Amino acid sequence: DTAVSQTPKYLVTQMGNDKSIKCEQNLGHDTMYWYKQDSKKFLKIMFSYNNKELIINETVPNRFSPKSPDKAHLNLHINSLELGDSAVYFCASSLSTSSLSYYEQYFGPGTRLTVT
Amino acid sequence: GQSLEQPSEVTAVEGAIVQINCTYQTSGFYGLSWYQQHDGGAPTFLSYNGLDGLEETGRFSSFLSRSDSYGYLLLQELQMKDSASYFCAEKDSSYKLIFGSGTRLLVRP
């Protein structure tokens, strides 16, 4: 059974398009995250939700909008895609917002977004 | 704020022991965790140190010294499959896990 799944795995699109990435976890975790990993493998948090409520909103362009319909799902919608959005986007989850839980996060397989 | 420093690359021979260091500068420290990421794969949690000392999990151990603002990941009996990137990470005062820039480990036969 896949713990954290993301779709699609690869996404190739043109500048200006709008795209969505979906994430689901079947671990029963309360907290979910979106990370962006650039070409230098630097991993940076973008958003975090706890029980469908937004708790982290890093300084990302407002073209990025997360949505959590329930605590098992966290989607990421990106409007007006730009070349600089090309990266690997990872969804992750952790048990809760307790301090110890934050350190042990479970990552999805990633979505490699290429904007041309 | 938070910053973590790791060597960018480490090379070792199969069967050897390698240590990957991580130093941090933070205004508030809650512990250090380590993740492994193979090329094309997802980060995978390896270990967590909340207190000073050594935590052992099979061939991997992780160490923390709060007084030195320093930790390391120790990999023993290296195998080719250990070739990957290794990230240290710490939690800041909010709900964020901050990752180091990663150390690429290359295991040679």
Side-chain angles (χ1 to χ4, degrees):
Chain A
D1 280 346
T2 304
V4 183
S5 59
Q6 290 179 233
T7 54
K9 189 163 175 62
Y10 299 97
L11 191 50
V12 181
T13 188
Q14 292 184 329
M15 283 175 57
N17 284 348
D18 304 338
K19 290 293 177 186
S20 291
I21 307 171
K22 295 187 175 183
C23 177
E24 176 181 0
Q25 54 95 4
N26 62 8
L27 297 167
H29 287 172
D30 286 346
T31 313
M32 296 184 73
Y33 314 81
W34 277 113
Y35 286 88
K36 178 180 180 180
Q37 187 170 46
D38 61 23
S39 58
K40 295 184 178 180
K41 301 206 100 175
F42 184 61
L43 197 61
K44 190 174 184 341
I45 189 157
M46 300 172 68
F47 302 102
S48 177
Y49 274 74
N50 184 59
N51 265 322
K52 302 192 299 176
E53 285 193 32
L54 182 66
I55 57 172
I56 295 173
N57 186 351
E58 280 296 274
T59 312
V60 299
N62 57 15
R63 298 182 293 104
F64 290 77
S65 52
K67 272 195 182 161
S68 182
D70 55 63
K71 73 174 192 176
H73 295 85
L74 180 61
N75 303 322
L76 183 65
H77 187 76
I78 315 170
N79 290 324
S80 304
L81 278 156
E82 300 177 358
L83 292 176
D85 298 332
S86 294
V88 180
Y89 292 84
F90 285 101
C91 175
S93 73
S94 66
L95 187 61
S96 70
T97 55
S98 73
S99 285
L100 291 181
S101 297
Y102 270 97
Y103 289 95
E104 187 171 352
Q105 297 187 11
Y106 293 79
F107 283 75
T111 297
R112 183 173 292 277
L113 172 65
T114 304
V115 183
T116 62
Chain B
Q2 267 79 12
S3 69
L4 301 110
E5 290 190 14
Q6 306 178 233
S8 58
E9 196 170 292
V10 172
T11 302
V13 176
E14 199 175 9
I17 299 172
V18 72
Q19 178 174 312
I20 298 174
N21 299 322
C22 175
T23 56
Y24 60 88
Q25 296 176 346
T26 179
S27 55
F29 182 75
Y30 299 86
L32 201 68
S33 58
W34 289 90
Y35 284 77
Q36 177 193 60
Q37 185 181 25
H38 287 99
D39 283 347
T44 304
F45 173 79
L46 290 177
S47 67
Y48 165 71
N49 293 76
L51 301 172
D52 285 2
L54 193 68
E55 293 285 339
E56 296 180 74
T57 311
R59 294 187 298 114
F60 293 3
S61 303
S62 57
F63 174 82
L64 177 65
S65 169
R66 288 173 176 260
S67 58
D68 296 322
S69 297
Y70 162 76
Y72 64 73
L73 181 69
L74 191 73
L75 296 85
Q76 302 182 73
E77 300 171 20
L78 278 173
Q79 302 176 7
M80 298 299 289
K81 67 178 182 180
D82 297 330
S83 291
S85 293
Y86 292 85
F87 296 86
C88 56
E90 61 166 341
K91 187 180 84 66
D92 73 358
S93 55
S94 67
Y95 297 112
K96 290 184 288 186
L97 198 60
I98 310 297
F99 285 82
S101 52
T103 299
R104 189 174 181 86
L105 171 64
L106 178 61
V107 180
R108 297 190 184 277

